[in-house]
């Protein structure tokens, strides 16, 4: 049986001192936050299962060596099994790429995390859906009766969606 003070909720708040926050700590925190977001976004865009751990290669410069001390945090927050650090250009075949705001390049290894055939099938289906939506929108926008009777907001939204789908 746990006592309240054994739990995090029972801990007292830390007391800030003048030396508690060093110059650069806040920007490092923001860079770390951005990096975790980039890794998570890359995982999501390639449909990597949330339960899977991935390997990541980070391309850093000499001013970003502080990241070496934060690998445990990245591992936990971004579901990373192993982090490789490099100062040289990264050349990997199957990776998802994303860059953080601080300029750290994050390469998520997709070798075993993504089934290429399933991903191609999914992307083809998504393309068919987008093309159908684009064609439907173009047809509606070419129809004068539709333009006369539709609400202005509907027409504006349809134009924007059709333009987005074309891109």
């Amino acid at each position: 049986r746990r006592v309240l003070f054994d739990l995090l909720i029972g801990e007292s708040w830390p007391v800030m001192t003048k030396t508690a926050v060093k110059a650069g700590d806040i920007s490092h925190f923001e860079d770390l936050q951005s990096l975790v977001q980039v890794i998570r976004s890359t995982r999501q865009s390639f449909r990597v299962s949330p339960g899977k751990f991935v390997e990541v290669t980070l391309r850093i410069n000499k001013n970003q060596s502080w990241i070496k001390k934060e690998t445990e945090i990245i591992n936990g927050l971004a579901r990373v099994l192993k982090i490789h650090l490099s100062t040289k250009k990264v050349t990997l075949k199957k990776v998802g790429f994303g860059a953080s705001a601080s300029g750290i390049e994050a390469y998520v290894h997709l070798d075993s995390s993504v089934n290429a055939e399933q991903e191609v099938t999914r992307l083809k289906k998504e393309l068919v859906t987008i093309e159908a939506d684009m064609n439907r929108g173009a047809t509606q926008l070419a129809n004068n009766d539709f333009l006369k009777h539709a609400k202005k907001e509907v027409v504006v939204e349809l134009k924007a969606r059709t333009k987005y789908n074309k891109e």
Side-chain angles (χ1 to χ4, degrees):
R1 186 179 138 192
R2 290 188 169 186
V3 179
L4 178 63
F5 293 103
D6 288 342
L7 303 174
L8 181 61
I9 195 169
E11 293 292 324
S12 59
W13 287 93
V15 178
M16 293 293 289
T17 63
K18 290 183 180 180
T19 59
V21 178
K22 299 175 189 159
D25 284 352
I26 292 175
S27 68
H28 287 172
F29 173 79
E30 290 169 345
D31 293 346
L32 185 61
Q33 185 180 29
S34 173
L35 180 60
V36 168
Q37 288 172 339
V38 164
I39 294 169
R40 287 178 170 181
S41 296
T42 305
R43 288 174 55 103
Q44 181 184 14
S45 65
F46 284 95
R47 308 282 197 273
V48 175
S49 169
K52 282 197 171 188
F53 284 85
V54 295
E55 288 190 34
V56 173
T57 298
L58 301 177
R59 182 178 180 197
I60 61 172
N61 64 40
K62 63 182 176 182
N63 297 330
Q64 296 162 330
S65 61
W66 59 266
I67 204 80
K68 294 174 187 175
K69 297 176 188 172
E70 309 299 344
T71 56
E72 188 175 335
I73 291 172
I74 297 167
N75 290 346
L77 294 175
R79 307 277 302 171
V80 174
L81 179 65
K82 187 170 183 180
I83 296 176
H84 308 277
L85 298 173
S86 175
T87 55
K88 298 177 181 161
K89 184 178 178 182
V90 177
T91 54
L92 299 169
K93 291 182 181 178
K94 291 177 92 177
V95 296
F97 169 75
S100 74
S102 61
I104 298 171
E105 295 176 4
Y107 298 87
V108 177
H109 301 226
L110 300 173
D111 299 337
S112 61
S113 304
V114 175
N115 182 322
E117 290 177 21
Q118 286 179 344
E119 187 66 11
V120 168
T121 302
R122 185 193 65 78
L123 289 172
K124 285 180 180 178
K125 286 180 183 177
E126 189 175 326
L127 182 60
V128 167
T129 303
I130 290 170
E131 287 175 341
D133 188 46
M134 182 179 66
N135 292 336
R136 188 172 36 258
T139 301
Q140 287 177 318
L141 291 171
N143 183 339
N144 288 330
D145 285 338
F146 172 79
L147 294 174
K148 276 189 226 175
H149 296 93
K151 292 182 179 178
K152 183 178 180 181
E153 302 86 37
V154 172
V155 173
V156 168
E157 192 273 331
L158 186 59
K159 284 180 180 179
R161 193 173 73 224
T162 303
K163 180 181 177 187
Y164 176 80
N165 286 337
K166 283 182 181 180
E167 293 173 355

